[in-house]
Amino acid sequence: MRSYTIGRAARLLGVSPDTVRRWADAGRIPTTRDEHGKRLIDGTDLAAFSVALAAEAAEDGDEPRTSARNAFPGIITAVKLGDVAAQVEVQAGPHRLVSLLTREAVEELGLAVGREAVARVKATNVHIDLEN
């Protein structure tokens, strides 16, 4: 499973790296350290935390931010596979986006919970692009 640096997690969550550090210090999001002592967050943990964070914001009545150029960088929080079709959910800061696509596309792209992705919205369609 992919891990994320504090800075990358902050970008995906739409907050500052200092905020993510404070959350980690408070035990809200688990971290580990790499061989250089850098803090890392497991992709699955980050996905779960992003969903919880968005739920908290919704309860607080926070208004979602808008996206320039309709690109929503985020993390995949759910993948539901059918025989032919699939559903992929991306949490992009306070925004939850759902894309319906073929199972074959999900498998070819390697879409999985905890992977970083960008949801691009055009009219009523949501396209998923993976970040490297």
Side-chain angles (χ1 to χ4, degrees):
M1 178 53 55
R2 180 170 176 176
S3 294
Y4 296 90
T5 63
I6 294 288
R8 192 68 177 160
R11 180 174 162 242
L12 294 170
L13 295 171
V15 299
S16 74
D18 285 337
T19 298
V20 176
R21 282 187 203 92
R22 283 193 295 276
W23 287 335
D25 291 343
R28 289 190 65 191
I29 186 164
T31 62
T32 58
R33 294 201 182 257
D34 68 9
E35 63 276 3
H36 304 291
K38 264 183 131 172
R39 281 182 170 179
L40 298 174
I41 301 169
D42 178 77
T44 303
D45 291 335
L46 183 59
F49 182 76
S50 69
V51 170
L53 192 63
E56 287 174 18
E59 289 173 8
D60 293 341
D62 289 349
E63 293 296 319
R65 293 182 285 265
T66 60
S67 170
R69 297 187 183 100
N70 299 325
F72 295 82
I75 189 163
I76 297 172
T77 58
V79 176
K80 298 173 186 165
L81 297 174
D83 291 337
V84 176
Q87 177 178 312
V88 177
E89 295 181 20
V90 174
Q91 192 70 44
H95 308 289
R96 176 181 164 263
L97 297 112
V98 179
S99 180
L100 300 176
L101 56 163
T102 65
R103 179 187 182 116
E104 180 181 11
V106 169
E107 291 170 347
E108 284 181 11
L109 290 169
L111 301 179
V113 172
R115 293 276 322 258
E116 188 173 342
V118 176
R120 298 192 190 278
V121 179
K122 171 106 169 124
T124 58
N125 297 316
V126 176
H127 301 268
I128 306 291
D129 298 331
L130 289 178
E131 290 285 321
N132 292 332

